Amino acid sequence: MGEHKKMSEIVVQIDGKEVKAMEGQTVLEAAQSADIFIPTLCFHEKLEPYGACRICTVEVEVRGWSKLVAACLYPVEQDLVVKTRSEKVDRIRKMILEFLLAHAPNSHQLLDLAQEYGADKDRFEKESSFCILCGLCVRYCAEVKKKNAVGFVDCGARREIRFIPEIAAKECVNCKECFPLCPTSYLQAAFVLTESLAFSRDASHDVP
Ligand code: SF4
Ligand code: FES
């Protein structure tokens, strides 16, 4: 026997439909392979799953027990029963959207989802940040481009993205591949980049 275990095919049930999946796949991957839609905000097929936004929450039933899990992280197993919509699922997605809309009230992606789940965009007090900390730009730059030109700074409520001026000045101008990944605002991401570059230019002028 080789060292590597052969991946076996298993069958799961998603929204009442039998779906063939490979051991090691996530619920999200299995659903996508069967054209079953699960909303995502921090998932990208080229990146390691991150599990930050939780909008992909689904209800799974394992050996008679049901629980809410993040579809982008949860691995499939034989006879798993998945509901991509249920009262509990919809309630949690609605709450997540109301919370995220406080940070990014103009995001078309969030507003479309809010309509679907009946989320009130004004439920929580607005906090001035367009970033919902999905990490797509940061992880794409690190994992795909291997440049680390953008990262998170600060923590808690003050956490935000920042381009690293020395790297951004060389790498970002001709790349910008992270902008369209942003679920909230392409333009804001561009603004943050421009600001970082302007800051680096000003700082270099200050050097005697
Ligand atoms: S700027 Fe956009 S892509 Fe980057 S972490 Fe924030 S929401 Fe996500
Ligand atoms: S897409 Fe699963 S947690 Fe964001």
Side-chain angles (χ1 to χ4, degrees):
M1 277 262 291
E3 240 179 63
H4 297 288
K5 229 172 101 191
K6 228 174 115 200
M7 284 230 235
S8 46
E9 196 179 76
I10 54 179
V11 178
V12 296
Q13 199 196 93
I14 307 180
D15 294 343
K17 184 176 171 184
E18 282 206 345
V19 174
K20 286 194 180 115
M22 297 307 288
E23 206 183 332
Q25 272 189 322
T26 61
V27 167
L28 178 66
E29 287 167 330
Q32 288 178 336
S33 74
D35 284 331
I36 297 171
F37 177 73
I38 297 174
T40 63
L41 289 168
C42 70
F43 172 80
H44 188 288
E45 67 274 8
K46 287 190 182 159
L47 305 177
E48 286 297 314
Y50 193 50
C53 73
R54 300 278 153 173
I55 200 72
C56 66
T57 297
V58 293
E59 200 171 342
V60 296
E61 202 185 293
V62 202
R63 289 173 284 279
W65 292 94
S66 97
K67 55 182 177 178
L68 295 170
V69 299
C72 69
L73 296 177
Y74 198 83
V76 287
E77 61 179 283
Q78 183 64 35
D79 297 328
L80 188 73
V81 177
V82 182
K83 282 189 216 152
T84 67
R85 296 286 295 255
S86 71
E87 204 188 316
K88 280 191 204 155
V89 167
D90 283 16
R91 201 177 328 128
I92 199 149
R93 287 188 190 155
K94 172 177 179 287
M95 217 167 64
I96 291 168
L97 288 163
E98 288 172 342
F99 174 74
L100 294 178
L101 278 160
H103 296 278
N106 301 318
S107 158
H108 293 294
Q109 209 171 325
L110 293 183
L111 289 169
D112 286 350
L113 286 168
Q115 206 170 19
E116 176 69 25
Y117 293 97
D120 173 4
K121 72 177 176 50
D122 299 315
R123 173 151 178 216
F124 295 111
E125 203 179 320
K126 302 277 175 295
E127 289 178 40
S128 60
S129 153
F130 74 99
C131 180
I132 58 166
L133 306 177
C134 74
L136 280 177
C137 57
V138 174
R139 291 178 294 128
Y140 186 86
C141 193
E143 292 177 34
V144 176
K145 305 299 292 188
K146 314 243 181 276
K147 301 293 184 200
N148 296 300
V150 55
F152 285 120
V153 289
D154 284 336
C155 35
R158 292 164 53 84
R159 195 163 157 83
E160 59 181 20
I161 59 148
R162 189 84 50 84
F163 286 88
I164 319 298
E166 305 78 47
I167 309 176
K170 276 203 283 254
E171 308 293 346
C172 300
V173 182
N174 295 320
C175 171
K176 298 178 186 159
E177 284 171 33
C178 66
F179 291 3
L181 303 183
C182 182
T184 70
S185 171
Y186 180 108
L187 282 177
Q188 278 285 357
F191 177 74
V192 178
L193 171 61
T194 315
E195 243 193 346
S196 312
L197 294 179
F199 176 78
S200 89
R201 271 196 300 274
D202 292 352
S204 67
H205 288 158
D206 290 345
V207 176

